[in-house]
Amino acid sequence: MHKTIAEHPSLADKFNKDEERVNWHDQTLWWVRAKRDKAAHTLPEWEDLRNLASQIKHNVLSNLSEYLVQFEENALKNNIQVHWAADAQEHNAIVKSILQKHGVAQIVKSKSMLTEECHLNDYLQKEGIEVIDTDLGERIVQLAQEPPSHIVLPCIHKKKEEIGELFHLHLGTPAGNADPQFLTAAARLHLREKFLTRKIAITGVNFAVAETGEFVVCTNEGNADMGAHLADVHIACMGIEKLIPERHHLGVFLRLLARSATGQPITTYSSHFKKPRQGQEMHLVLVDNGRSRQLGREDFRNSLKCIRCGACMNTCPVYRRSGGHSYHNAIAGPIGSILAPNLDMKDYADLPFASTLCGSCSNVCPVKIDIHNQLYKWRQVLVQQGYAPAAKKAAMQGMAFTFSHPAFYRMAGKTGKWFMKTTPFVVNNSFNPWYKQRDMPEPPKESFHDWYKKNRKQNE
């Protein structure tokens, strides 16, 4: 049974009611995009790195089953307990079983888009297990009872004054204090107690090395390290596509990831986990959740190259002015719009249409995913499968008829021009989405067809 979900246009309208928020959201993300450009331009070999990363990922996807077997063998040799999950439900059940085995009802968790995708927090909380997100942005949206709106900047949609109010309500900070340094210090004190008292920590995985059986977690706050090193049990959750063949390939991806995400040369912490320390348990949950299906779609398999840098979001004019929550999916923006329909075409049929197809997302992608082409192809698939809205389908059929019948096309053009000239209110009204944000153009004095006929006769 499909759940009822508000679609992108209506959620974007809600976000756009606060024009001031929209403007600084747009400007802040473009500032991050500009930082990415500056960082990229410092490396003469930037495009070579992008090409190499794309080729490495292509090799992984083409030989995924072999690399997964190799990775599991090496991880087991390292005393990591490996679990396989076909979907989100299995993933959540595996995590719950580990917690139950140790009698733990309170855990800490660092940023993991996979656990967001699987709705792990909601699942565990319904089972009576407290989950504390330790990434500062993730903790802020958790206190606000919201999902992250960006995969790298989870609370980018929040003003510092709103964060101050949240901290006053939940952490007891002074009312009205919105100083970022003070709020960060308060969060540090709040989270330090959680790190010291929780016996199990969950992390995501940025990269997993088939050659060695190790995995790498990249953070700027060190919260993943703090949780994993203080806990008796470390549970790492990863999608099966996060593999790279050999350790030396990490140098390519680590140089691309932070520059693409925030304009940094490298993340503050790039932590390698190869084996549990003495007396610790380490679990690794490998999750499919539709990835094998996406791998089998020739037009869309390259989307699995994604390294979750968020560069496509920072550059996308639609994302910047509609907000991450308008995508009603764990992963928003252009990349989320080509990943989500693979999970459920019906629920996410609106997302590939939330794009201008300008191609900026493909231009900044560090692994050269053809995102804008895949958005266009998803539109075709969704219409063919009957998931396009009836009104849009009827409009497209009407346009197809008009463009394929020249006489009707010319008559429609003349009729439209007459209405725009004599009764503009027929076009310029709130029922026309284009008119809501734009001034409609003046009707032309003559059509191109008429102009061409007249000038061709004059030149003969």
Side-chain angles (χ1 to χ4, degrees):
M1 180 181 292
H2 292 276
K3 52 189 180 295
T4 302
I5 296 178
E7 294 191 340
H8 185 273
S10 61
L11 293 170
D13 279 345
K14 182 179 178 182
F15 183 75
N16 273 267
K17 284 182 168 60
D18 187 342
E19 188 171 344
E20 181 187 355
R21 187 188 303 271
V22 172
N23 288 337
W24 63 252
H25 187 268
D26 179 23
Q27 293 162 7
T28 301
L29 287 168
W30 186 253
W31 174 72
V32 179
R33 157 69 205 267
K35 285 180 64 183
R36 173 262 177 207
D37 292 347
K38 290 177 183 177
H41 292 156
T42 63
L43 292 180
E45 67 273 26
W46 179 255
E47 289 303 317
D48 291 334
L49 287 171
R50 291 181 70 212
N51 285 324
L52 183 55
S54 182
Q55 291 166 8
I56 293 170
K57 280 292 188 178
H58 180 79
N59 171 264
V60 168
L61 296 177
S62 300
N63 302 280
L64 186 57
S65 59
E66 289 86 353
Y67 283 128
L68 284 169
V69 170
Q70 181 187 9
F71 175 72
E72 182 188 33
E73 288 176 352
N74 289 322
L76 290 172
K77 289 176 185 176
N78 296 335
N79 292 321
I80 299 175
Q81 299 182 41
V82 179
H83 309 263
W84 297 86
D87 53 30
Q89 289 73 27
E90 283 193 15
H91 164 268
N92 294 345
I94 289 168
V95 173
K96 175 189 167 185
S97 69
I98 298 170
L99 302 183
Q100 288 180 330
K101 172 188 169 185
H102 292 275
V104 168
Q106 295 176 317
I107 64 170
V108 288
K109 181 170 75 68
S110 66
K111 186 187 295 179
S112 164
M113 293 315 300
L114 177 71
T115 60
E116 293 290 339
E117 176 188 322
C118 295
H119 305 291
L120 177 66
N121 282 18
D122 292 341
Y123 172 84
L124 292 179
Q125 285 162 8
K126 289 176 183 175
E127 296 292 328
I129 297 168
E130 180 190 54
V131 182
I132 300 294
D133 280 310
T134 59
D135 174 270
L136 179 56
E138 293 269 353
R139 185 59 178 150
I140 289 168
V141 294
Q142 186 180 40
L143 292 174
Q145 298 183 332
E146 296 175 356
S149 67
H150 190 288
I151 59 179
V152 176
L153 311 165
C155 65
I156 187 65
H157 60 289
K158 289 286 188 190
K159 300 178 181 179
K160 61 182 181 180
E161 291 78 13
E162 294 170 328
I163 297 170
E165 291 173 10
L166 274 174
F167 279 27
H168 171 64
L169 180 63
H170 295 280
L171 307 187
T173 58
N177 192 323
D179 177 65
Q181 287 187 325
F182 176 83
L183 296 177
T184 302
R188 185 178 292 117
L189 289 173
H190 161 68
L191 291 172
R192 186 61 55 92
E193 182 270 332
K194 310 299 181 187
F195 285 127
L196 292 171
T197 57
R198 301 312 189 251
K199 301 299 183 184
I200 294 183
I202 296 177
T203 71
V205 172
N206 289 93
F207 306 102
V209 184
E211 174 190 35
T212 61
E214 69 188 289
F215 57 92
V216 178
V217 181
C218 302
T219 69
N220 277 331
E221 300 171 23
N223 56 303
D225 301 79
M226 186 80 91
H229 293 317
L230 290 174
D232 296 332
V233 181
H234 176 190
I235 305 172
C237 306
M238 63 172 274
I240 57 174
E241 81 285 7
K242 291 298 182 71
L243 287 174
I244 59 173
E246 299 172 3
R247 179 185 279 172
H248 71 91
H249 292 141
L250 278 170
V252 176
F253 291 97
L254 291 177
R255 295 175 79 192
L256 288 167
L257 176 62
R259 286 179 170 90
S260 297
T262 58
Q264 300 169 247
I266 195 168
T267 49
T268 307
Y269 300 91
S270 299
S271 306
H272 296 241
F273 295 93
K274 187 174 182 181
K275 59 179 63 177
R277 70 175 187 274
Q278 187 173 2
Q280 185 190 44
E281 275 186 28
M282 186 176 287
H283 296 261
L284 186 63
V285 187
L286 291 157
V287 185
D288 188 314
N289 202 37
R291 287 159 175 77
S292 295
R293 182 170 60 245
Q294 188 84 323
L295 187 64
R297 301 183 196 269
E298 186 62 32
D299 287 336
F300 306 115
R301 70 196 304 265
N302 279 348
S303 63
L304 295 175
K305 293 179 178 181
C306 177
I307 60 173
R308 304 295 193 266
C309 68
C312 61
M313 301 179 185
N314 301 336
T315 197
C316 177
V318 176
Y319 174 87
R320 295 200 319 265
R321 299 196 69 83
S322 63
H325 291 158
S326 65
Y327 291 81
H328 57 90
N329 181 47
I331 301 175
I335 187 64
S337 297
I338 62 175
L339 292 172
N342 174 61
L343 294 174
D344 193 312
M345 287 192 198
K346 180 178 174 62
D347 283 347
Y348 302 113
D350 57 310
L351 296 186
F353 294 91
S355 169
T356 64
L357 301 182
C358 65
S360 186
C361 50
S362 302
N363 290 339
V364 300
C365 177
V367 288
K368 306 195 79 168
I369 302 171
D370 56 332
I371 301 175
H372 71 292
N373 286 330
Q374 293 192 37
L375 287 165
Y376 174 65
K377 290 175 181 177
W378 264 121
R379 293 181 184 187
Q380 295 176 308
V381 170
L382 292 165
V383 171
Q384 290 167 0
Q385 295 293 323
Y387 292 114
K392 183 173 288 187
K393 188 175 181 181
M396 291 299 102
Q397 290 174 338
M399 292 302 294
F401 178 85
T402 302
F403 287 137
S404 59
H405 294 79
F408 187 80
Y409 173 82
R410 288 192 289 273
M411 182 187 73
K414 290 178 181 178
T415 303
K417 186 169 65 175
W418 182 87
F419 273 112
M420 289 179 70
K421 186 180 295 184
T422 60
T423 56
F425 62 86
V426 174
V427 178
N428 298 343
N429 58 63
S430 60
F431 294 103
N432 180 359
W434 282 81
Y435 182 66
K436 292 179 181 179
Q437 302 291 338
R438 303 168 181 84
D439 293 326
M440 297 300 288
E442 292 290 327
K445 295 179 180 179
E446 60 181 348
S447 68
F448 174 78
H449 183 265
D450 293 337
W451 175 90
Y452 181 77
K453 283 177 63 177
K454 181 176 68 176
N455 283 273
R456 186 175 66 173
K457 287 180 181 180
Q458 290 175 354
N459 293 328
E460 286 178 350

